[in-house]
Amino acid sequence: MLKLLNLLKDGRFHSGQALGEALGVSRSAVWKQLQHLESELNLVIHKVRGRGYQLAAPLTLLESQSIAEYTQGEAWPLAIHDAIDSTNAEALRCIGEGRPAPFVVLAERQSAGRGRRGRQWISPFAENLYYSLVLRVDGGMRQLEGLSLVVGLAVMRTLQGFGLVGVGLKWPNDLLVGQQKIAGILLELVGDPADVCHVVLGIGINVNMQVNDQVDQQWTSMRREAGMTIDRNRLVAKLNQQLQHELARHRRYGFAAFQEEWEQANLWQGRAVSLVAGSNRIDGVVLGVDGQGALRLEVDGVEKSFSAGELSLRLRDDS
């Protein structure tokens, strides 16, 4: 199927005969593969008698060579999958198999993409970025303090580099434009954080998605905000570069060096919020974060700190 998709990805018309000859199959076999592309990948393919078949829009697939051409600085090893359950799940399997870190796992589509608190991450084929970076951490909990917030800053600066205006952060792991979600982060830890462990930095970015009825919250995408199609290969290279820079700074100085920057990018700074954990709810006003990345709230006139986990932060109606 993907050989056929590579022939069609230019968005031009291709006759059934030409496609069959290129693939070494019959025209009826081409027709069956086209039906699979439409049903399995939810792609729109125009079929015009006398002209052939055409994707509704040109498609750019993730390619190692293209990413390498955009890369400046260290090139992390990466694996690109056409379809997978989730990049984080594959990264965890690679850790279990002893693959040396750092490395990046990418996918064109996820069948079981995950967000925080077990939520599904909708993952249409070849539209967005599904990305997991694996790092080895040798001792010292300080290297993990505020790590997801540092990753958020790196993602934000990457998006700003593509011309996005108004993108900001929501504690602990979301990036928003206004009230619309554009990216999310999911960190997973394996091993002993007091000794040797691995951390998987899962990042999902809405890139070229324009319509999707499955997403159950307000969302936007880079394409919607920038008004143009984004080259996902270039995006991967720029994200890698930004992460390398911010992670090196975090290893050297800890999260305290990022505290003020994060608060400046915090879209809910000073807002009235509710912090929800199961059936418990705490109302307060966002003061910012502390030197370990915990959320600082003013609750009944008293400052309190809350660490991430199974916590959900929501704006109050009176904010």
Side-chain angles (χ1 to χ4, degrees), residues 9 28 39 47-48 60 79 85 108 138 142 151 204 212-213 216 218 224-225 234 241 257 260 283 286 307 314:
K9 68 181 182 180
S28 62
S39 61
K47 309 171 185 69
V48 179
T60 300
D85 50 357
E108 293 288 10
D138 293 301
R142 185 187 181 200
V151 173
N212 197 305
D213 296 332
D216 61 357
Q218 294 185 71
R224 279 185 173 185
E225 298 302 319
R234 180 169 173 256
Q241 182 180 348
E260 184 177 348
D283 292 336
V286 176
S307 297
R314 306 170 188 173

Short mmCIF file of all heavy atoms in Angstrom, two decimals, residues 9 28 39 47-48 60 79 85 108 138 142 151 204 212-213 216 218 224-225 234 241 257 260 283 286 307 314:
data_model
loop_
_atom_site.label_atom_id
_atom_site.label_comp_id
_atom_site.label_asym_id
_atom_site.label_seq_id
_atom_site.Cartn_x
_atom_site.Cartn_y
_atom_site.Cartn_z
N LYS A 9 1.73 10.49 -3.93
CA LYS A 9 1.90 11.58 -2.97
C LYS A 9 2.13 12.95 -3.60
O LYS A 9 1.99 13.97 -2.94
CB LYS A 9 3.04 11.26 -2.01
CG LYS A 9 4.43 11.24 -2.63
CD LYS A 9 5.48 10.88 -1.59
CE LYS A 9 6.88 10.92 -2.19
NZ LYS A 9 7.91 10.56 -1.19
N SER A 28 -6.82 -4.20 -11.37
CA SER A 28 -7.79 -4.53 -10.32
C SER A 28 -7.11 -4.57 -8.95
O SER A 28 -7.70 -4.18 -7.93
CB SER A 28 -8.47 -5.87 -10.62
OG SER A 28 -7.52 -6.92 -10.64
N SER A 39 -9.86 3.53 3.18
CA SER A 39 -10.52 3.04 4.39
C SER A 39 -9.56 2.99 5.59
O SER A 39 -9.92 3.39 6.70
CB SER A 39 -11.12 1.65 4.15
OG SER A 39 -10.10 0.72 3.81
N LYS A 47 -11.14 9.90 -8.32
CA LYS A 47 -11.09 8.92 -9.40
C LYS A 47 -11.83 9.53 -10.60
O LYS A 47 -13.04 9.76 -10.53
CB LYS A 47 -11.74 7.61 -8.97
CG LYS A 47 -11.21 7.08 -7.63
CD LYS A 47 -12.03 5.91 -7.13
CE LYS A 47 -11.59 5.46 -5.76
NZ LYS A 47 -11.90 6.46 -4.70
N VAL A 48 -11.11 9.81 -11.66
CA VAL A 48 -11.68 10.47 -12.83
C VAL A 48 -11.43 9.60 -14.06
O VAL A 48 -10.26 9.31 -14.39
CB VAL A 48 -11.07 11.88 -13.03
CG1 VAL A 48 -11.66 12.54 -14.27
CG2 VAL A 48 -11.30 12.75 -11.79
N THR A 60 3.38 14.82 2.04
CA THR A 60 4.81 14.73 2.34
C THR A 60 5.00 13.76 3.49
O THR A 60 4.47 13.99 4.58
CB THR A 60 5.41 16.10 2.71
OG1 THR A 60 5.22 16.99 1.61
CG2 THR A 60 6.90 15.97 3.00
N ALA A 79 13.99 6.27 14.17
CA ALA A 79 13.26 5.21 13.48
C ALA A 79 11.89 5.76 13.10
O ALA A 79 11.21 6.38 13.94
CB ALA A 79 13.11 3.99 14.38
N ASP A 85 1.29 1.32 17.41
CA ASP A 85 0.32 1.60 18.48
C ASP A 85 0.57 2.98 19.06
O ASP A 85 -0.32 3.83 19.10
CB ASP A 85 0.34 0.51 19.55
CG ASP A 85 1.74 0.18 20.07
OD1 ASP A 85 2.73 0.74 19.57
OD2 ASP A 85 1.83 -0.67 20.99
N GLU A 108 3.93 7.81 11.29
CA GLU A 108 2.98 8.51 10.44
C GLU A 108 1.57 8.44 11.03
O GLU A 108 0.76 9.32 10.84
CB GLU A 108 2.97 7.91 9.03
CG GLU A 108 4.25 8.11 8.24
CD GLU A 108 4.46 9.55 7.78
OE1 GLU A 108 3.71 10.44 8.22
OE2 GLU A 108 5.37 9.78 6.97
N ASP A 138 21.56 9.23 34.37
CA ASP A 138 22.46 8.55 35.31
C ASP A 138 22.47 9.25 36.66
O ASP A 138 23.25 10.16 36.89
CB ASP A 138 23.89 8.51 34.74
CG ASP A 138 23.98 7.64 33.51
OD1 ASP A 138 23.66 6.44 33.62
OD2 ASP A 138 24.36 8.15 32.45
N ARG A 142 17.55 15.61 40.24
CA ARG A 142 17.52 16.98 39.74
C ARG A 142 17.35 17.02 38.22
O ARG A 142 16.76 17.94 37.67
CB ARG A 142 18.82 17.69 40.14
CG ARG A 142 18.84 19.17 39.75
CD ARG A 142 20.20 19.79 40.00
NE ARG A 142 20.21 21.20 39.65
CZ ARG A 142 21.29 21.89 39.39
NH1 ARG A 142 22.47 21.30 39.44
NH2 ARG A 142 21.24 23.17 39.09
N VAL A 151 10.65 20.73 28.28
CA VAL A 151 10.27 20.22 26.96
C VAL A 151 9.19 21.12 26.35
O VAL A 151 9.22 21.43 25.16
CB VAL A 151 9.79 18.76 27.06
CG1 VAL A 151 9.24 18.27 25.72
CG2 VAL A 151 10.93 17.86 27.52
N GLY A 204 3.31 15.24 21.01
CA GLY A 204 2.34 15.23 19.91
C GLY A 204 2.04 16.66 19.50
O GLY A 204 1.70 17.48 20.36
N ASN A 212 -11.12 17.33 12.02
CA ASN A 212 -11.15 16.03 12.69
C ASN A 212 -12.26 16.05 13.75
O ASN A 212 -12.19 16.79 14.72
CB ASN A 212 -9.81 15.72 13.35
CG ASN A 212 -9.68 14.25 13.68
OD1 ASN A 212 -10.51 13.67 14.37
ND2 ASN A 212 -8.63 13.62 13.16
N ASP A 213 -13.28 15.23 13.53
CA ASP A 213 -14.43 15.20 14.43
C ASP A 213 -14.21 14.33 15.65
O ASP A 213 -15.05 14.30 16.56
CB ASP A 213 -15.67 14.69 13.67
CG ASP A 213 -16.07 15.62 12.54
OD1 ASP A 213 -15.80 16.83 12.65
OD2 ASP A 213 -16.66 15.14 11.55
N ASP A 216 -11.99 15.49 21.18
CA ASP A 216 -13.07 15.86 22.10
C ASP A 216 -12.78 17.13 22.89
O ASP A 216 -13.34 17.34 23.97
CB ASP A 216 -13.35 14.71 23.07
CG ASP A 216 -12.15 14.36 23.93
OD1 ASP A 216 -11.08 14.97 23.74
OD2 ASP A 216 -12.28 13.47 24.81
N GLN A 218 -11.27 21.57 22.36
CA GLN A 218 -10.92 22.61 21.40
C GLN A 218 -9.47 22.42 20.94
O GLN A 218 -8.59 22.18 21.76
CB GLN A 218 -11.07 23.99 22.04
CG GLN A 218 -12.48 24.37 22.40
CD GLN A 218 -12.55 25.80 22.92
OE1 GLN A 218 -12.37 26.76 22.18
NE2 GLN A 218 -12.79 25.93 24.21
N ARG A 224 -3.39 25.71 10.56
CA ARG A 224 -4.47 26.68 10.80
C ARG A 224 -3.91 28.03 11.23
O ARG A 224 -4.38 29.08 10.77
CB ARG A 224 -5.40 26.15 11.89
CG ARG A 224 -6.43 25.14 11.44
CD ARG A 224 -7.36 24.82 12.61
NE ARG A 224 -8.48 23.98 12.23
CZ ARG A 224 -9.46 23.65 13.06
NH1 ARG A 224 -9.45 24.08 14.31
NH2 ARG A 224 -10.45 22.88 12.65
N GLU A 225 -2.92 28.01 12.11
CA GLU A 225 -2.40 29.25 12.66
C GLU A 225 -1.47 29.98 11.69
O GLU A 225 -1.47 31.21 11.63
CB GLU A 225 -1.67 28.97 13.98
CG GLU A 225 -2.55 28.38 15.07
CD GLU A 225 -3.72 29.27 15.42
OE1 GLU A 225 -3.54 30.51 15.48
OE2 GLU A 225 -4.83 28.73 15.62
N ARG A 234 11.23 19.13 8.26
CA ARG A 234 11.93 20.31 8.80
C ARG A 234 11.55 20.52 10.26
O ARG A 234 12.39 20.88 11.09
CB ARG A 234 11.60 21.54 7.97
CG ARG A 234 12.27 22.82 8.46
CD ARG A 234 12.13 23.95 7.45
NE ARG A 234 12.63 25.19 8.00
CZ ARG A 234 11.88 26.19 8.45
NH1 ARG A 234 10.55 26.09 8.39
NH2 ARG A 234 12.41 27.28 8.95
N GLN A 241 16.85 20.10 17.35
CA GLN A 241 17.85 21.14 17.65
C GLN A 241 17.48 21.91 18.90
O GLN A 241 18.32 22.17 19.78
CB GLN A 241 17.98 22.07 16.45
CG GLN A 241 19.03 23.16 16.59
CD GLN A 241 19.08 24.05 15.35
OE1 GLN A 241 18.51 23.75 14.32
NE2 GLN A 241 19.78 25.17 15.48
N ALA A 257 16.72 27.55 36.43
CA ALA A 257 17.17 28.48 35.39
C ALA A 257 16.06 28.80 34.39
O ALA A 257 16.15 29.78 33.64
CB ALA A 257 18.37 27.90 34.65
N GLU A 260 11.59 31.56 35.48
CA GLU A 260 11.05 32.85 35.05
C GLU A 260 10.58 32.79 33.60
O GLU A 260 9.52 33.33 33.26
CB GLU A 260 12.11 33.94 35.22
CG GLU A 260 11.60 35.34 34.88
CD GLU A 260 12.64 36.41 35.12
OE1 GLU A 260 13.68 36.12 35.77
OE2 GLU A 260 12.43 37.55 34.66
N ASP A 283 -9.68 25.24 44.50
CA ASP A 283 -9.79 26.50 43.77
C ASP A 283 -8.70 27.45 44.21
O ASP A 283 -8.38 27.55 45.39
CB ASP A 283 -11.16 27.14 44.00
CG ASP A 283 -12.29 26.34 43.39
OD1 ASP A 283 -12.03 25.59 42.43
OD2 ASP A 283 -13.43 26.47 43.87
N VAL A 286 -3.43 31.16 39.91
CA VAL A 286 -2.11 30.70 39.51
C VAL A 286 -1.06 31.78 39.80
O VAL A 286 -1.16 32.91 39.29
CB VAL A 286 -2.09 30.35 38.00
CG1 VAL A 286 -0.67 29.96 37.57
CG2 VAL A 286 -3.06 29.22 37.71
N SER A 307 2.52 19.19 42.80
CA SER A 307 3.31 18.51 41.78
C SER A 307 2.38 17.85 40.77
O SER A 307 1.21 17.56 41.05
CB SER A 307 4.22 17.45 42.41
OG SER A 307 5.15 18.06 43.28
N ARG A 314 -7.99 23.45 35.34
CA ARG A 314 -9.05 24.02 34.53
C ARG A 314 -9.30 25.47 34.92
O ARG A 314 -9.19 25.83 36.09
CB ARG A 314 -10.36 23.23 34.71
CG ARG A 314 -10.21 21.73 34.44
CD ARG A 314 -11.44 20.98 34.86
NE ARG A 314 -11.24 19.55 34.78
CZ ARG A 314 -12.11 18.62 35.21
NH1 ARG A 314 -13.25 19.01 35.79
NH2 ARG A 314 -11.83 17.33 35.09
#
